[in-house]
């Protein structure tokens, strides 16, 4: 009985999408919200300054870029934070808020002056858009303040 060439062709057609991705990851390409945090002495205090959490560097040397192709756990963690931030804007959950608080608190705990930092942490999500030469900033979400000591480490 002769072999049917259609069977092999069908198998290749079934495997092809798994071997060659479509690269269609996003429904919509839009700017991600920026995570900013502030520290205060009391939960009732209004923050004077907000600091961007893990801002992108203005310049990355070529050697660093090549190393990051193979090993970059901090960037992966930052992508997770961005994913949580996007979820908070679309569908707020305690899990996403908790994860962002944990990451910020863990970074602050590793700071050399961690013991002298104010005890209350809060964060907000800011959407930055460009209108010609003007940058517009809109706060999309602001989390209720928490004591840093009460946030579990990431």
């Amino acid at each position: 009985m002769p072999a049917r060439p259609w069977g092999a062709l069908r198998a290749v057609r079934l495997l092809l999408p798994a071997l060659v991705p479509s690269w269609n990851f996003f429904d919509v390409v839009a700017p991600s919200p920026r995570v900013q945090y502030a520290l205060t002495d009391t939960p009732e205090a209004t923050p004077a300054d907000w600091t961007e959490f893990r801002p992108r560097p203005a310049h990355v040397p070529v050697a660093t870029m090549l190393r990051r192709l193979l090993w970059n756990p901090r960037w992966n963690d930052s992508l997770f934070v961005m994913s949580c931030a996007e979820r908070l804007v679309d569908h707020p959950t305690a899990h996403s808020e908790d994860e962002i608080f944990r990451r910020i608190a863990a970074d602050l705990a590793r700071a050399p002056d961690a013991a002298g930092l104010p005890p209350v942490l809060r964060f907000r999500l800011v959407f930055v858009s460009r209108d010609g030469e003007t940058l517009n900033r809109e706060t999309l979400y602001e989390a209720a303040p928490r004591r840093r000591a009460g946030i579990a480490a990431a």
Side-chain angles (χ1 to χ4, degrees):
M1 185 156 157
R4 296 183 354 189
W6 301 112
L9 183 60
R10 183 171 182 216
V12 169
R13 238 178 27 165
L14 289 173
L15 284 174
L16 199 56
L19 299 174
V20 181
S22 68
W23 302 108
N24 188 15
F25 295 117
F26 307 103
D27 296 332
V28 174
V29 176
S32 294
R34 302 208 182 160
V35 178
Q36 297 179 340
Y37 68 91
L39 297 168
T40 57
D41 291 319
T42 65
E44 298 79 24
T46 302
D49 295 319
W50 290 89
T51 305
E52 187 166 348
F53 180 59
R54 295 183 184 169
R56 288 184 171 193
H59 174 73
V60 178
V62 174
T64 302
M65 276 193 273
L66 292 174
R67 189 185 81 240
R68 287 180 178 179
L69 284 173
L70 301 173
W71 181 252
N72 198 357
R74 185 170 173 89
W75 179 249
N76 289 341
D77 194 55
S78 293
L79 287 175
F80 176 69
V81 169
M82 282 300 111
S83 175
C84 289
E86 289 168 354
R87 275 186 265 152
L88 273 176
V89 172
D90 292 336
H91 306 289
T93 64
H95 172 265
S96 295
E97 188 175 289
D98 293 344
E99 290 298 328
I100 294 173
F101 266 120
R102 279 190 201 110
R103 290 333 188 258
I104 297 171
D107 276 19
L108 291 172
R110 286 190 290 270
D113 60 343
L117 293 174
V120 178
L121 171 65
R122 65 181 78 217
F123 77 86
R124 68 182 182 183
L125 306 177
V126 178
F127 179 80
V128 180
S129 61
R130 184 178 295 277
D131 184 20
E133 293 297 316
T134 307
L135 283 180
N136 300 318
R137 299 177 191 278
E138 178 185 3
T139 301
L140 300 174
Y141 183 88
E142 189 167 335
R146 295 187 189 179
R147 296 210 167 267
R148 287 190 306 126
I151 300 171

